[in-house]
Amino acid sequence: MTLEPFGARLRHAMDTRGPLCVGIDPHAALLTSWGLNDDIAGLERFARTAVEALADRVAVLKPQSAFFERFGSRGVAVLEKAVEEARAAGALVLMDAKRGDIGSTMGAYAATYLDKDSPLFSDAVTLSPYLGFGSLRPALDAAAASGAGVFVLALTSNPEGAEVQRATAADGRSLAQLMLDHMAAENAGAAPLGSVGAVVGATLGDAGVNLAINGPLLAPGIGAQGATPADLPAVFGDAVGNVVPSVSRGVLRHGPDVSGLREAAERFADEVRSAVSGS
């Protein structure tokens, strides 16, 4: 069966669990801080603990594929298990892979993350559009067919991104705005929320673009990168109700204690609710 569209599932998850995405980023320093070795056993313990602590209560879990891939096929096997267990516990899984290519290669990436028969099938995947938005068509079509979603890079939190994303297109729009307008077109008519989201950094201050894409806005940069939930209204304006703030180290540094991870995630979720509601 085809799943209900991702946008609708995400809206429900945000409304019931709170609008928070927690990253699962098992980099070497974090494994060490948990008292784990930087090896497959440490990776497996880390992933299992994060999923156990968070998958039954946060809206979205976002594994960073690179931190699993660095261990080769055994790391990918750990990632497959984490995705399976997180989805079984009720979290939506956003695979942070930032794939971007053309033609059959983009189609292969789409099959990896957006085909329901794939062992890495996720509820959504991050994509890079800077080979041209049209290059994403295989992934957009695959997501629509399976009820999954995509998050497309628009304005990222890293300072280097501006040299591309703030550059001016032939018609005078910034490249970021051009990409956002493409996303809005993909989401036209969707309710309650489209399934094509944008990645917009929470550290940007005034984003300076029109974020009314009728889709979710993934906001990295909360916590260790310096942004706070209180910054969200200034960055996202009228679109703040569609923001999914992403926190990784701000929550994960409280592990390996399960209760510590849960308490940290709950604090961030409460802060986001207060910031979004203005209370």
Side-chain angles (χ1 to χ4, degrees), residues 32-220:
T32 299
S33 75
W34 279 33
L36 302 171
N37 292 328
D38 187 26
D39 57 17
I40 285 294
L43 176 72
E44 189 170 18
R45 175 71 180 276
F46 182 96
R48 187 188 313 119
T49 301
V51 169
E52 175 191 349
L54 302 170
D56 65 346
R57 60 198 64 219
V58 302
V60 182
L61 283 179
K62 181 175 68 65
Q64 169 47 260
S65 181
F67 289 119
F68 294 83
E69 293 173 27
R70 68 193 182 98
F71 291 101
S73 61
R74 293 180 299 166
V76 173
V78 174
L79 178 58
E80 290 175 4
K81 188 68 172 177
V83 169
E84 177 187 6
E85 292 181 350
R87 297 189 73 239
L92 297 176
V93 172
L94 167 58
M95 184 65 71
D96 194 357
K98 298 183 180 70
R99 300 306 191 215
D101 217 302
I102 61 172
S104 60
T105 307
M106 189 72 250
Y109 284 137
T112 301
Y113 303 110
L114 301 171
D115 184 325
K116 288 181 293 181
D117 294 327
S118 169
L120 282 172
F121 174 71
S122 303
D123 295 285
V125 64
T126 54
L127 300 174
S128 174
Y130 291 105
L131 288 172
F133 193 87
S135 68
L136 304 182
R137 180 51 55 192
L140 296 169
D141 290 347
S146 65
V150 302
F151 283 86
V152 181
L153 303 182
L155 281 172
T156 53
S157 55
N158 63 304
E160 303 90 346
E163 67 185 42
V164 174
Q165 298 155 14
R166 297 286 191 185
T168 303
D171 62 4
R173 288 178 288 176
S174 69
L175 291 184
Q177 187 63 65
L178 180 61
M179 297 305 160
L180 288 161
D181 291 346
H182 281 302
M183 297 176 222
E186 295 291 327
N187 289 328
L193 197 64
S195 297
V196 178
V199 180
V200 178
T203 57
L204 296 173
D206 182 356
V209 291
N210 180 5
L211 297 171
I213 65 168
N214 190 34
L217 302 165
L218 183 71

